Amino acid sequence: MNKMEDELPVVVLISGGGTNLQALIDTSAEGQPFEIRGVISNRPGVHGLQRADAADIPTQVIDHTAFPDRESFDAALADAIEAFGPRLIVLAGFMRILTNDFVDRFAGRMLNIHPSLLPAFQGLHTHRRALQAGVGEHGASVHFVTSELDGGPVIAQARVPVLSGDTESDLAARVLEREHRLLPQVVKWFAQGKLQLRDDRVWFEDSPLQAPIQC
Ligand code: GRF
């Protein structure tokens, strides 16, 4: 088998700047066992699309504002994903809520990175809410996507301290730096066949995880 056949085909979904996408591009270029076959954005003109272009990765924009409802957007998105033939779909700063049908279609092969220590701070504005709550620790989580928003089984987390005097952007930057190592690590494990979703639980190296892996 040649190297291309060994590499797990991945599609990355984005909505913005794509720094997590860049981390995946850089890791895959280092010879890791996955290949990004395509990048899809629901927003035209975002910087993440330029990052993909620069790495010669095919891109597609599926602008959600052009669709009358979630169902029709998700159907177009699913078709676009399938056209790339991925075995893994990575949501890297993809800011859309997905329908249950869509999530079920890709069950067990779709990951999301969320900027909090789930189950804390599901949803938006996680850094602001962490500061308001006065927590001493914050971070990011990578989880399998299920129909529960930001509620799928957590695979791995990265933790950072919250420092006195932190602004929202200080904390966001500290978390984001860790995201850039966390997400490629989890994708690599998936590509190595170490990770599975079985009966709504994460299995790692053939055992059910008792708690998220700390990265
Ligand atoms: C990251 O914090 C990610 O966890 C969140 O949105 C941000 C996206 O950043 N979902 P980028 O587009 O990867 O730079």
Side-chain angles (χ1 to χ4, degrees), residues 16-21 92-95 112-115 127 176 179-180:
T19 63
N20 277 293
L21 166 66
F94 183 68
M95 306 300 285
N112 181 44
I113 185 156
H114 181 78
H127 310 304
L176 195 58
E179 291 184 43
H180 297 160

Side-chain angles (χ1 to χ4, degrees), residues 54-134:
D56 285 329
I57 298 168
T59 61
Q60 197 165 343
V61 174
I62 313 219
D63 183 347
H64 65 275
T65 63
F67 292 84
D69 49 34
R70 281 193 195 282
E71 287 71 23
S72 56
F73 169 73
D74 279 10
L77 180 62
D79 288 347
I81 290 170
E82 297 282 21
F84 288 118
R87 284 175 42 219
L88 178 68
I89 298 111
V90 179
L91 278 51
F94 183 68
M95 306 300 285
R96 292 291 300 168
I97 293 172
L98 298 163
T99 57
N100 288 351
D101 281 353
F102 181 94
V103 170
D104 289 347
R105 181 161 166 181
F106 298 108
R109 54 187 184 117
M110 186 155 59
L111 305 177
N112 181 44
I113 185 156
H114 181 78
S116 78
L117 296 173
L118 290 171
F121 309 121
Q122 299 176 346
L124 297 174
H125 309 303
T126 58
H127 310 304
R128 188 185 315 166
R129 287 159 60 211
L131 287 173
Q132 282 165 354

